[in-house]
Structure formats: C-alpha cells, structure tokens
Amino acid sequence: MAWLFGKDKPRRVVTEGLWIKCDACRETVYRADVEKNAKTCPRCGNPFRLSARERLELLLDPASFEERDAGLRSQDPLGFKDNRGRYADRLKVSREKTGREDAIAGYPVLVCVFEFAFMGGSMASVVGEKITRAIELAARKRTPLLIVTCSGGARMQEGVLSLMQMAKTSAALGRLGEERVPYFVLLADPTTGGVTASFAMLGDVILAEPRALIGFAGPRVIQETIRQPLPEGFQRAEFLLEHGMVDLVVERKDLRETLRRLLAFFAETSEPALP
C-alpha cells in the first residue's frame, strides 16, 4: 500500500498483490507479467508453482476434461497426532483451502495432477488409489497416461499405508507396460520422497520443468550422510537431464505443444481400444 500526495488530500493506492518476489533471482516482479508468462519469472525464467487447476488449464484445451473418482476421501486410520495437531483436522483445513478432496485430481485423457497446496502433495491411500485407477483405466481404454508430479513424498500420517502405494502404483504401471500403452511423466517442483522412488521415475518419457527439485532424500540429508559437498545444481532438473535420469527439460510455454507431439507420435502406433 502506498500514499500519493498532491494539491488535494493524500490518496491511498492499493499495491498489495501487484508484485511478487522470485525465489530464484530474488527480484520483485510485476504479478501481471508473471501471469502472462505462464507463471514464469520474466527476469530469469524460473517457473512459479501452479495449482492443479492452473496446471490443467495450461496443458489441456478448455472444457476438455472431466474429473473421475472425485468422491474418494482420506480417512485417519492411525488416529495420528503430532505437535502440529490432529491429522483429521489438517485434512479438513486442506480441503477448505484447496477445494479438493486430496492431493491429486484425475481426468480422462488421461491426466493425473498433484495439488501441492494439499499437505505438500503428499501421497497417501487416496492418492495411490486414484493413480492406480487412472492406470487401470488407461490400460482398458488403451489411452496414453500423463502424471504431473509435485509432491513431498509419502504422507507419514498414514504410516505404512502410504508406503504401500509405492508398490501398488508401480505394479499397476507394470501391467500398463505389458499392454504397451504409453505413460508420460512431467516432473514439477518439487518431486521428492516416495513419489520419486516409484511411479515418477517409471515413465516411458520423463519430462521436467526447468530448475525443478527432483530427488528422494533432500540435499542436506544426503550431504550429512556422505559427508561430502554436493555438485553444483545437484537434484535439479538440468542435473538429472545431464546424467540420464530425465529425457527432456521443457519450458512451461512449450509444454502443451511438446505433449501434443508426443501423444501424436505414440497414437500412430497404438492399438484400438478394448470394448
């Protein structure tokens, strides 16, 4: 907020929300310029985090998707409670904050998109179930599958039930591979933990956004474990591309066209859908 002084009385000008600070270059930039640039910093090209809804609007044609299995909701099987409060209460707050039932939204085409604002996009029973259902539907319909990851990993509040989702989704992808249905992954910032250790790195083609943090354990934990300094850019998308873990790093403005070309290429060789 600012005040303008002149011959008349001072006028209050509302400027809150007009500017946003980039975490990469530390510059304060005009929010409208960021929005026009697909939520990417106009100074350094660093992509800002997108919500699941914004991601779908970026990748898909308008009004071209329909949500499936929207009624699945996380429960509290362990009665979990820590110094941040009860898990059930945190689920309620996350639902009110995001308008979603959990950290992933599944849409026919087939697309699964993580919502980082819902408990850090963490993977628990519902996330694993929705991903598995999407994989199985892709196999039945012989429709290519795209998963956009943005997650802190397995959700500790559901204990071993969340870890089971790693094996569950990976096994489903094994069956999808046997059906020779293409599976694409887009790694957004961040993609870590159990999500990285399972379906995020199993794609036939693995794309990543620029500068996305991708890894299992965090850099600090790794450095403390091996007691050695880490290479520059460690666990960033460009580093993984250089070391063969990622197939392509794609600027956000080019994502839709890149995916369109990939889908068109694989569709040429896909078999007819099952009845």
Side-chain angles (χ1 to χ4, degrees), residues 6-26:
K7 296 181 180 179
D8 299 325
K9 294 181 179 179
R11 293 183 294 116
R12 186 173 65 175
V13 180
V14 177
T15 60
E16 292 150 342
L18 295 179
W19 303 89
I20 186 170
K21 188 171 184 178
C22 175
D23 292 333
C25 65
R26 313 304 296 174

Side-chain angles (χ1 to χ4, degrees), residues 2-247:
W3 292 87
L4 294 181
F5 295 88
K7 296 181 180 179
D8 299 325
K9 294 181 179 179
R11 293 183 294 116
R12 186 173 65 175
V13 180
V14 177
T15 60
E16 292 150 342
L18 295 179
W19 303 89
I20 186 170
K21 188 171 184 178
C22 175
D23 292 333
C25 65
R26 313 304 296 174
E27 292 286 336
T28 300
V29 293
Y30 192 37
R31 185 180 293 272
D33 290 340
V34 173
E35 299 289 345
K36 286 189 294 186
N37 201 30
K39 294 201 77 171
T40 300
C41 176
R43 299 285 181 87
C44 69
N46 180 61
F48 288 81
R49 190 164 292 147
L50 296 174
S51 69
R53 181 65 60 182
E54 289 171 327
R55 178 73 65 181
L56 289 165
E57 291 173 354
L58 174 71
L59 296 176
L60 307 179
D61 294 333
S64 65
F65 57 85
E66 174 187 352
E67 185 168 4
R68 301 182 66 90
D69 302 315
L72 293 180
R73 305 187 97 198
S74 289
Q75 304 301 313
D76 186 11
L78 305 182
F80 189 92
K81 183 178 180 181
D82 59 12
N83 57 4
R84 295 181 61 188
R86 296 170 59 242
Y87 177 43
D89 294 337
R90 291 168 67 183
L91 284 172
K92 181 180 178 182
V93 170
S94 293
R95 291 185 184 116
E96 293 172 350
K97 176 182 176 182
T98 64
R100 310 220 67 83
E101 295 296 342
D102 215 291
I104 191 165
Y107 298 86
V109 187
L110 282 151
V111 183
C112 296
V113 180
F114 275 75
E115 175 62 83
F116 191 80
F118 195 108
M119 299 188 71
S122 52
M123 177 174 65
S125 301
V126 167
V127 172
E129 178 65 18
K130 293 189 81 170
I131 289 176
T132 302
R133 291 189 185 190
I135 296 169
E136 292 172 344
L137 181 60
R140 291 198 305 272
K141 299 290 187 181
R142 306 204 63 80
T143 303
L145 173 67
L146 167 66
I147 298 181
V148 183
T149 61
C150 184
S151 172
R155 189 179 302 171
M156 66 175 185
Q157 290 86 353
E158 294 192 24
V160 71
L161 297 177
S162 64
L163 297 179
M164 288 172 58
Q165 309 311 312
M166 296 168 61
K168 177 178 176 178
T169 53
S170 298
L173 284 173
R175 296 190 293 271
L176 185 69
E178 292 173 358
E179 294 293 334
R180 302 183 67 80
V181 175
Y183 165 48
F184 309 112
V185 183
L186 172 58
L187 308 176
D189 180 73
T191 297
T192 58
V195 169
T196 305
S198 54
F199 56 86
M201 303 306 291
L202 295 176
D204 298 309
V205 179
I206 302 178
L207 310 175
E209 287 196 325
R211 303 176 183 84
L213 175 66
I214 304 163
F216 180 60
R220 180 180 56 83
V221 174
I222 294 175
Q223 186 162 316
E224 290 177 354
T225 301
I226 66 175
R227 301 184 184 279
Q228 293 183 21
L230 299 175
E232 185 177 354
F234 180 72
Q235 289 190 328
R236 293 294 171 177
E238 293 76 10
F239 185 90
L240 271 70
L241 175 65
E242 183 180 345
H243 290 78
M245 300 294 290
V246 167
D247 296 307

